[in-house]
Structure formats: structure tokens, C-alpha cells
Amino acid sequence: EVIGFSTIIGGPQSQYEGFYGSDITKLRALEDFDTTTLVVNDIALKIRSVAKIGNTYYETFAEAYAAAEAGDTITLLAPIVVNAGETLTLDKGVTITYTSNVAGEDMITNRGILVIDGTTLIYNNTDTTGSNVTVSTISCEPGSTLEVKSGTVKNDSANNSNSGNGSFAYAIDLLTNGSLGDVTATISGGEIIS
């Protein structure tokens, strides 16, 4: 029997025992995990979650966002990428947080169209080894479009020094390149905090 993703993720061990009996020791579930391994009949299945709301984990950001209600906090377990040709509108009045320890990793990489309207984004990168890198809540690549209508875009990462070169924290980083194109950014409301 295949158990739905949200059924096997989160909750105390006793919740799993009904499904797996004595094989519960083969299920490795961690709070704030990237991947869990489930072994059933000697077959290992890797399940990756990218976001959670409370103790409910989601395989995609789209699933987490669809389940979120105003006032909820979505905790990212992996960064978001908005690809060219895609539009991501964040307008539900939720808070989205992400903490990373990867040098130079951004919370959201925008290659398409990103609209922030009433959502709070909070990023914290804890890496202290990065040398001359940026860590951004939103990084907009050439050719992308960003519109901030309302809400908050905040970067709680600390600028650090590593032999004179450090990591630099930005709420929004607009990357432009004459040969690749510019970024179109419109900020008509909200707070941008670095």
C-alpha cells in the first residue's frame, strides 16, 4: 500500500506504527529534514520535502502555498526558483521563511515574473565561509520581472567578513547584464529590509 506523502511525514513515532508495525525503525524522519528514507520490503524510497506548514510537509512549494491560509507560516526547506516563462504570485497574506547555511544561496531566484502582494518573506543565511558572495531574499536574473505591491521582503542574514571578502546580504538583488537583458522591477508599496 502506498501511503500519501502528508500521511507519513510529521508526527510522533506511534503515528507510524499503525502503518509499519515493527519496521518503524527503518523510517528515518527528522524535524526540518530535506529527505526521509522509507524502507518497505527492502525497497528504499527517498521522499524530498521542500516546505512545511506546522508539522505538515509538502513535496512542492505549489502544494504548500495552495494549502496555506492567511496568517500561516510556510517554512521553506529548499530555495524557490521561478523559471523563465513562469509567473509566481504571492498574495495570500502568509509569511514565508527560509534559513540556509549554503554560501551564496538565495531564498528566491527569479528568472520569470514574481509578484509580492501582502506576503512577508524572511531569509536568514547563516554561512560564515562564503567569500565575496551575495545572499538575497529575492535574486532577479536578467530578463525577469519583479513587482512588489505590498508586504515585506526582509533579509536577516548578517554581512560577514572572511579575510576581507565576505557575504553581502540583500533583500532584493537586481542582476543586470547588457548582453543578457535588464530586470524590470516595480515597487509600489510594502517594506524592503536588509
Side-chain angles (χ1 to χ4, degrees):
E1 174 182 358
V2 177
I3 306 298
F5 182 78
S6 61
T7 304
I8 66 168
I9 303 304
Q13 179 173 327
S14 61
Q15 176 182 341
Y16 305 128
E17 288 174 344
F19 297 111
Y20 303 107
S22 62
D23 287 340
I24 188 63
T25 57
K26 296 181 181 179
L27 175 66
R28 180 178 58 89
L30 305 172
E31 186 175 339
D32 297 330
F33 66 99
D34 271 358
T35 304
T36 189
T37 301
L38 171 64
V39 180
V40 179
N41 298 329
D42 296 322
I43 299 172
L45 305 171
K46 293 247 185 223
I47 302 169
R48 179 173 171 78
S49 58
V50 299
K52 70 176 187 170
I53 301 172
N55 289 322
T56 303
Y57 289 79
Y58 299 90
E59 292 179 69
T60 68
F61 175 73
E63 290 172 351
Y65 193 72
E69 297 178 3
D72 282 349
T73 295
I74 300 172
T75 302
L76 297 178
L77 305 173
I80 296 172
V81 176
V82 181
N83 288 309
E86 295 178 351
T87 298
L88 176 60
T89 301
L90 303 174
D91 61 356
K92 289 180 112 176
V94 299
T95 297
I96 303 171
T97 65
Y98 183 48
T99 299
S100 172
N101 65 354
V102 177
E105 184 172 66
D106 301 315
M107 178 176 172
I108 300 175
T109 300
N110 181 27
R111 298 177 181 136
I113 299 171
L114 177 62
V115 179
I116 310 296
D117 190 4
T119 294
T120 297
L121 303 173
I122 303 172
Y123 180 46
N124 183 22
N125 188 297
T126 60
D127 174 71
T128 59
T129 64
S131 178
N132 200 25
V133 296
T134 62
V135 292
S136 304
T137 307
I138 300 172
S139 177
C140 293
E141 294 188 357
S144 67
T145 299
L146 171 66
E147 184 175 2
V148 179
K149 297 178 178 181
S150 65
T152 301
V153 179
K154 183 177 183 180
N155 194 319
D156 274 343
S157 307
N159 289 323
N160 75 67
S161 177
N162 181 12
S163 303
N165 297 316
S167 63
F168 305 94
Y170 299 105
I172 299 173
D173 190 5
L174 304 177
L175 306 173
T176 59
N177 181 311
S179 63
L180 298 176
D182 293 328
V183 173
T184 301
T186 304
I187 301 173
S188 57
E191 291 183 283
I192 313 299
I193 305 168
S194 287

